[in-house]
Amino acid sequence: MIDLHTHSLFSDGTNSPEELALKADQLGLTAVALTDHDTLDGLPRFLAAQPRVQTHLVPGIEISCRFMGYELHVVGLFVDPENLLFQKRIQEIRRRRSDRNIKMVHRLQTLGIPITLEDVARCAPSELLSRMHFAQALVHLGSVPTPQEAFRRLIGDGCSGHVPFEELTPEETVQWIREAGGVPILAHPGRSVNRNFPWDQAMLDLKKKGFAGFEAYYTDYGPQEHRYFCALAQRTGMVPSGGSDYHGDCKPGVHLGTGKGNLQIPDEILPLLQAQRGLAPSP
Ligand code: AMP
Ligand code: MN
Ligand code: MN
Ligand code: MN
């Protein structure tokens, strides 16, 4: 089994990169990818653990773009963390994230919550501040009882305290990931967009833009959704990738490799993805 979508404490997870590699090895996973949001910082330590484990360690990242009015997440697998151009691109994304964070603090203040950027930073183990850390800060301040409640009432998508950040286009996202030697995969399409979305047409459009595949295996999918996205991969000729979106203790009940218990991503997916490295988008 493999797991191609996980987070470490370099974004909004709670495990170190080494812990992730060792955990994956103990579970007997064939491969695991570290795909932190908007940062490459965990990847050198993750890859340095390779000699200590049998599990194939895949460097990755998760970034966001806007498509047909929706915020879509994109996992870039096999990206080269040493690529200087890519590092600069990611720095630009981080600048946009920081701007967004300042706006979110102001927005929450206008809602009567006495939160500061320092409160959020205290909840984050690295320099990257995400809504996960806002959620924790809001709990510490006593504004909400749990992080889940923070997302439900204040900072979830579309809530009054949420400010989206200046997003990339799908074309930019693909170009940036491809330039760094990576393979762009649409993350959890079934989680990002309502049901009844014209996925066949949209996915073929994204394929034309250079996406190699999408997550047909994902923690939050039910059996029907999983079957739907596997069939969609067949129809579109895209690779059915997948992962647990493991965040450690930040997402209790979501386990590395197995998600909520039933996730099983077959080894055969990995060579299909590796074959997409260095390929130009196919029509
Ligand atoms: P950001 O990238 O800073 O906008 O934060 C997004 C992160 O917040 C996601 O990657 C999730 O880890 C987390 N998140 C977003 N929405 C929810 C939600 N409704 N419940 C729990 N976590 C969420
Ligand atoms: Mn996250
Ligand atoms: Mn995501
Ligand atoms: Mn993720």
Side-chain angles (χ1 to χ4, degrees):
M1 295 303 140
I2 60 176
D3 188 341
L4 301 178
H5 186 156
T6 73
H7 297 273
S8 79
L9 40 73
F10 281 88
S11 65
D12 55 353
T14 56
N15 287 131
S16 70
E18 293 86 356
E19 280 168 351
L20 267 172
L22 293 174
K23 254 177 183 287
D25 199 46
Q26 278 159 12
L27 290 170
L29 293 184
T30 305
V32 65
L34 175 58
T35 57
D36 275 318
H37 303 280
D38 301 348
T39 182
L40 299 163
D41 291 350
L43 294 176
R45 279 173 52 180
F46 182 62
L47 295 177
Q50 185 64 83
R52 293 155 62 195
V53 299
Q54 301 233 303
T55 305
H56 178 48
L57 303 180
V58 176
I61 193 165
E62 182 175 13
I63 53 185
S64 310
C65 67
R66 192 154 282 271
F67 176 67
M68 294 176 74
Y70 289 94
E71 180 186 313
L72 297 185
H73 291 188
V74 184
V75 163
L77 297 172
F78 313 109
V79 290
D80 173 11
E82 307 292 331
N83 186 298
L84 291 178
L85 179 59
F86 195 48
Q87 288 176 0
K88 271 179 65 180
R89 309 270 206 210
I90 300 307
Q91 261 176 26
E92 165 60 18
I93 296 181
R94 289 291 288 278
R95 188 192 61 72
R96 296 183 191 192
R97 174 180 282 279
S98 301
D99 287 354
R100 187 286 302 257
N101 288 342
I102 293 165
K103 284 185 191 143
M104 253 179 82
V105 165
H106 289 150
R107 181 77 67 87
L108 288 165
Q109 286 171 349
T110 61
L111 293 171
I113 296 162
I115 192 171
T116 65
L117 204 56
E118 289 69 38
D119 294 329
V120 184
R122 263 196 296 279
C123 295
S126 78
E127 284 171 12
L128 185 142
L129 307 188
S130 87
R131 273 187 283 161
M132 197 72 98
H133 309 118
F134 273 84
Q136 289 161 10
L138 289 164
V139 173
H140 285 159
L141 287 167
S143 307
V144 285
T146 62
Q148 284 74 19
E149 216 26 42
F151 279 105
R152 204 181 64 76
R153 291 219 297 250
L154 288 167
I155 59 169
D157 295 357
C159 289
S160 51
H162 174 222
V163 180
F165 52 97
E166 206 189 322
E167 282 137 333
L168 305 176
T169 63
E171 286 87 348
E172 283 172 312
T173 313
V174 164
Q175 185 195 335
W176 293 10
I177 290 170
R178 293 270 185 197
E179 277 170 356
V183 174
I185 298 295
L186 180 62
H188 46 68
R191 202 194 80 184
S192 304
V193 183
N194 296 335
R195 288 222 162 234
N196 308 322
F197 190 70
W199 268 125
D200 274 79
Q201 202 187 324
M203 218 50 106
L204 285 171
D205 189 12
L206 291 171
K207 184 184 181 191
K208 220 183 281 170
K209 295 185 195 311
F211 280 81
F214 54 85
E215 290 179 341
Y217 298 80
Y218 188 69
T219 292
D220 289 344
Y221 291 169
Q224 261 194 337
E225 218 167 6
H226 166 63
R227 276 197 301 273
Y228 172 79
F229 282 109
C230 282
L232 183 64
Q234 286 265 325
R235 289 201 296 279
T236 55
M238 294 170 80
V239 183
S241 185
S244 63
D245 211 356
Y246 175 73
H247 280 69
D249 299 339
C250 279
K251 289 204 176 165
V254 177
H255 304 284
L256 188 63
T258 53
K260 287 182 179 152
N262 300 325
L263 196 64
Q264 288 198 338
I265 308 167
D267 292 355
E268 295 76 59
I269 304 295
L270 189 64
L272 299 178
L273 290 164
Q274 282 165 327
Q276 294 287 326
R277 295 176 73 171
L279 286 187
S282 53

